[in-house]
Amino acid sequence: MLYLLRRLAGFALTLLIAALVIFVLLDLLPGDPARFILGINASADALAALRLQMGLDIPAPARFGNWVWSMLQGDFGVSHTQRAPVAKLIAERMAVTLPLSVFAMAISMAVGLPLGILAARHRGKPLDTALMVMAQGGVAVPNFWFGMLLTLLFAVTLRWLPPGGFTPWYEDGWLALRGLVLPSLALALPQAAILARVMRTALVDVAGQDFIRTARAKGMTYGEAIWRHGVRNALLPVLTILGLQFAYLIAGTIIVENVFYLPGLGRLIFTAISERDLVLVRSATMVLVLAVSATMLVVDLTYALVDPRLRERRA
Amino acid sequence: MTALVEIDDLAVSFGARPAIEGLTLAIEKGERFGIIGESGSGKSLTALAIAGLLPETARMSGRIRFDGAPLPQDEREMARLRGKRIGMVFQEPMTALNPLMRVGEQIEEAMRLADEAAAPLADLPALLQEVGLEPRHAGRYPHQLSGGQRQRVMIAMALASRPELMIADEPTSALDVITQRLVLDLIGEICQRRRMTLLFISHDIRAVAALCERVAVLHRGTLVELGPVHTVLTRPNQAYTQKLVAATQVTPRQRVAAPKPEPLLTVTHLTRAFKGRGLLHWGEKPLLAVNDVSLSIGVGECLALVGPSGCGKTTLGRMIVGLDSASAGEMDFAGTPYRGADLPAARRADLSLVFQDPFGSFNPRLTVAQSLGEPLRLLPRLAPLERQTRLEEAITSVGLETAMLARYPHEFSGGQRQRLAIARAMVTRPRLVVLDEPVSALDVSVRGDVLDLLARLQADHALTYLIVSHDLDMVAAMADRVLVMEAGRIVEEGTPTALFARPRHRLTQELMAARLPDIVG
């Protein structure tokens, strides 16, 4: 319980500090944000109107407070280039990015973890070597290139799945789902390869521990001992990697989004940066920070759930 | 009587390196059989071979029969045999238990594996009671138990299947004296009550003598001597056994010069409190690892600090050498007052520390010269030539050769590494050396050599020693004065002869009572 409270406090503090850094970097830097957004040819009237709208006439601390307060209420401001509420834009994109990340994660776990366990069980044998060579390949192959191969095979040659684009969920859920299959696979490949390697290493480590010998002494075969006592212990280091991977997926899917022409969060931010949409950049960055921090929070809490030693450790 | 375990011409090897050769012995039903040997003697491998738990890289030949039948070749059958008929207790109870599982669950698992019909053979509370634990301990995780309690859990787990054979491999080596005695007595008692055969493996001759009826002495993988415990240990036939038995008698060191009365180090009202940081722990009572301790060590004196694990003796030693700082109180080393980590570097060079574990205390990626040279950072104005001289002087003073400076730690044996650790402590030419359990990780036969070395160095360099230990025999042989510590406080003080002959404090009496009896002929 104490652990939970402390983690939640840390989570809130992280968000606050991140908000401050983002605000300072984008707002307080020399130069006029309004002019930066509108460009050097903007008329004085337009500039003044924008300044007023962005609240640039009030002092910075109050502006920061207002920004944080309105975000807490779900108001992320209005994008100038898209002429729409930022909250709505991000929500739309999240409807693509979040399922995409979750699918990719699920695939990579479903593939990577069992393969890692399999390799560890056959450590030093041909199967282990073969799996690890494959994993090395999986890490090395760029996911956009793998994505293109998938498109060639499943979309162009076999015509099972759409080659790209995205149908919104509310129009046709089935089509939306189909659109995410290939990008999820492309994203999952390197992740699964990394996961398999980490899982294998962790399990090989655990297999050498004394309590595996104890389990065997109790009457288990080596395989049973690994399965009942090894895997759960080996999952501890794997959890950290899972958290990092999920955070990466949410923030870093832009290349694959481009390959498959998906309207995801990555592309939204990319466009916003190139169009100097400060309000959108600022809020979208904040949303990413939130997502990453929340992932880490979940990882920490899962750790505590799995490992009794962490629950009571005095920090 | 019939044999429960028959080992016939057993050989185990790793690659080209033989670990056990031509071992033949039989363990009778119901007897308590001991195997004595030093590290590398193959004693643990023998136990693992009986249980079918040899490492995958080991090659085995010869025959092992359990209750008249050869060990099954099939992995599953062998596992079931282990689960039902053999119970095992290992050395390190911390790492031998799964850290993520309640100990009760781990014991129940052993019960289920012994009898798949799910009808529990023995109920958990009764089993816990038998090993001296309370029912509430079942809900604990391994890290919430003390070393002795964890070893009791291991024993309960080994008993869960009502085995015919219990194999205990150094079950008490990681425990302090008092706990060691309790656990040994418990094992003996249970074997007697359950008429269980015991295979007890240890490097501690006195533990084997206290517990076993027959003993086998192993040396470098071959059987040296075999027979009734009393005969083998009091009238050993073989030179090796004689040497081993002789080594358990720690002879008092000859003192050349009497210590001078003037103090080198004084410690006044020293306290070290540990408490949880942050607001959440505010108002909590701090844990006083060292509680208002005052002492002084004279120039050239050898002072010993004894006490059970967790009594604060190591924390005190760490503060004295400046690795930790006191929460209250002060120390004075040769006229320099300090509280711990604030000791000036130049003074710090006059203090050294030798750790217990000669394997963990060397960085495996540094050469011996690099490791030994590290304390010389405290003396920045040392010329390179002088540096080299210091290193050579240090390594020859501990009886090793200068050519060894270029080697890496893994090339040395345990005894040699402890010599290197002592050389590292000597390189700054210190005046006070804190020795934290200097020989307890070493084989019996090299302990005497290391203690001789320490005594010689003390005489040659007029050193002052502070020995932190729970080994009363070693302390009696080395120390001029002994302090007994319990729960952060010093509870008794005196010369070893007076203190151990007439212990006054309860703890000192308990420590003395826990000593295993000497082997007398």
Side-chain angles (χ1 to χ4, degrees), chain B residues 39-56:
Chain B
S39 42
S41 65
K43 57 184 192 305
S44 293
L45 285 174
T46 308
L48 293 178
I50 294 171
L53 285 176
L54 283 175
E56 272 179 48

Side-chain angles (χ1 to χ4, degrees), chain B residues 391-463:
Chain B
L391 291 180
E392 289 172 5
E393 183 189 289
I395 200 164
T396 47
S397 77
V398 297
L400 298 175
E401 289 151 36
T402 48
M404 292 176 175
L405 283 172
R407 300 214 201 141
Y408 287 89
H410 70 265
E411 299 171 59
F412 294 86
S413 71
Q416 283 177 321
R417 278 192 229 191
Q418 199 60 327
R419 281 169 187 273
L420 291 176
I422 294 168
R424 179 168 57 187
M426 296 300 296
V427 81
T428 53
R429 292 182 186 157
R431 299 175 65 190
L432 173 69
V433 182
V434 176
L435 304 158
D436 190 355
E437 300 282 7
V439 294
S440 53
L442 303 179
D443 275 327
V444 205
S445 65
V446 297
R447 283 186 191 182
D449 298 345
V450 171
L451 292 179
D452 282 336
L453 169 68
L454 288 172
R456 183 170 57 75
L457 288 172
Q458 184 176 27
D460 290 355
H461 303 280
L463 289 174

Side-chain angles (χ1 to χ4, degrees), chain B residues 29-42:
Chain B
K29 271 187 188 156
E31 81 168 330
R32 290 188 265 166
F33 189 88
I35 297 183
I36 292 179
E38 298 188 289
S39 42
S41 65

Side-chain angles (χ1 to χ4, degrees), chain A residues 98-116:
Chain A
L98 208 57
L100 183 62
S101 306
V102 171
F103 291 162
M105 205 67 208
I107 296 171
S108 101
M109 278 164 71
V111 174
L113 296 182
L115 286 185

Side-chain angles (χ1 to χ4, degrees), chain B residues 151-175:
Chain B
Q151 203 56 299
R152 286 169 197 273
V153 169
M154 280 299 289
I155 296 172
M157 222 149 75
L159 292 177
S161 60
R162 299 185 179 280
E164 290 144 75
L165 173 68
M166 163 121 102
I167 300 177
D169 186 357
E170 301 270 16
T172 59
S173 307
L175 307 175

